[in-house]
């Protein structure tokens, strides 16, 4: 079986007339996330199949797993940090636009 390496970063798109910087940034983010998610799903599928094949857990173990409160809290923190990191470029562009319109710079919040 031949392996093909997927590109890690999307190519720059041609400019669309009337497109704002946020639009291009959002499209690039969506393409990058889609590529990364595709890679993660393929690798996760491989891990699940290998673990089932090795008898580490049953095929339905993931679907029937219920995380405890600590795991749920940790997942929520990770999700919050990930969303903030992913959306940071759009947030910064929006703050720049707001500062241009209002003449007031916005103080950055950290998550």
């Amino acid at each position: 079986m031949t392996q093909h390496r997927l590109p890690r970063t999307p190519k720059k798109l041609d400019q669309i007339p009337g497109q704002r910087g946020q639009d291009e940034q959002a499209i690039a983010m969506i393409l990058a996330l889609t590529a990364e998610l595709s890679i993660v799903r393929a690798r996760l599928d491989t891990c699940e199949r290998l673990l089932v094949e090795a008898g580490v857990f049953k095929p339905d173990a993931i679907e029937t797993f219920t995380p405890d409160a600590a795991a749920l809290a940790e997942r929520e923190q990770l999700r919050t940090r990930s969303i903030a990191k992913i959306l940071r470029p759009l947030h910064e562009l929006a703050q720049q636009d707001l500062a241009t319109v209002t003449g007031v710079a916005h103080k950055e919040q950290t998550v």
Side-chain angles (χ1 to χ4, degrees):
M1 183 168 140
T2 305
Q3 289 188 348
H4 300 282
R5 294 195 57 82
L6 296 174
R8 299 299 277 174
T9 57
K11 295 178 181 178
K12 186 154 176 72
L13 301 173
D14 293 334
Q15 182 67 28
I16 298 172
Q19 184 180 30
R20 302 171 305 151
Q22 294 95 327
D23 299 335
E24 183 176 343
Q25 190 79 14
I27 291 169
M29 287 170 47
I30 291 167
L31 292 174
L33 285 170
T34 301
E36 287 297 320
L37 182 58
S38 175
I39 292 165
V40 169
R41 282 187 171 174
R43 293 180 66 86
L44 179 60
D45 178 66
T46 300
C47 290
E48 289 176 10
R49 290 174 189 272
L50 290 171
L51 289 167
V52 168
E53 186 178 305
V56 175
F57 56 72
K58 296 178 184 176
D60 66 342
I62 292 175
E63 286 77 19
T64 59
F65 176 75
T66 303
D68 61 15
L72 288 172
E74 188 175 329
R75 288 178 181 185
E76 183 58 31
Q77 288 177 348
L78 179 60
R79 186 176 11 263
T80 300
R81 284 193 312 267
S82 295
I83 289 171
K85 182 178 180 180
I86 290 165
L87 295 179
R88 183 182 49 79
L90 290 180
H91 178 75
E92 289 173 355
L93 281 171
Q95 294 304 324
Q96 290 172 2
D97 285 352
L98 182 62
T100 301
V101 171
T102 64
V104 178
H106 180 70
K107 192 173 188 178
E108 192 65 30
Q109 295 179 355
T110 57
V111 176

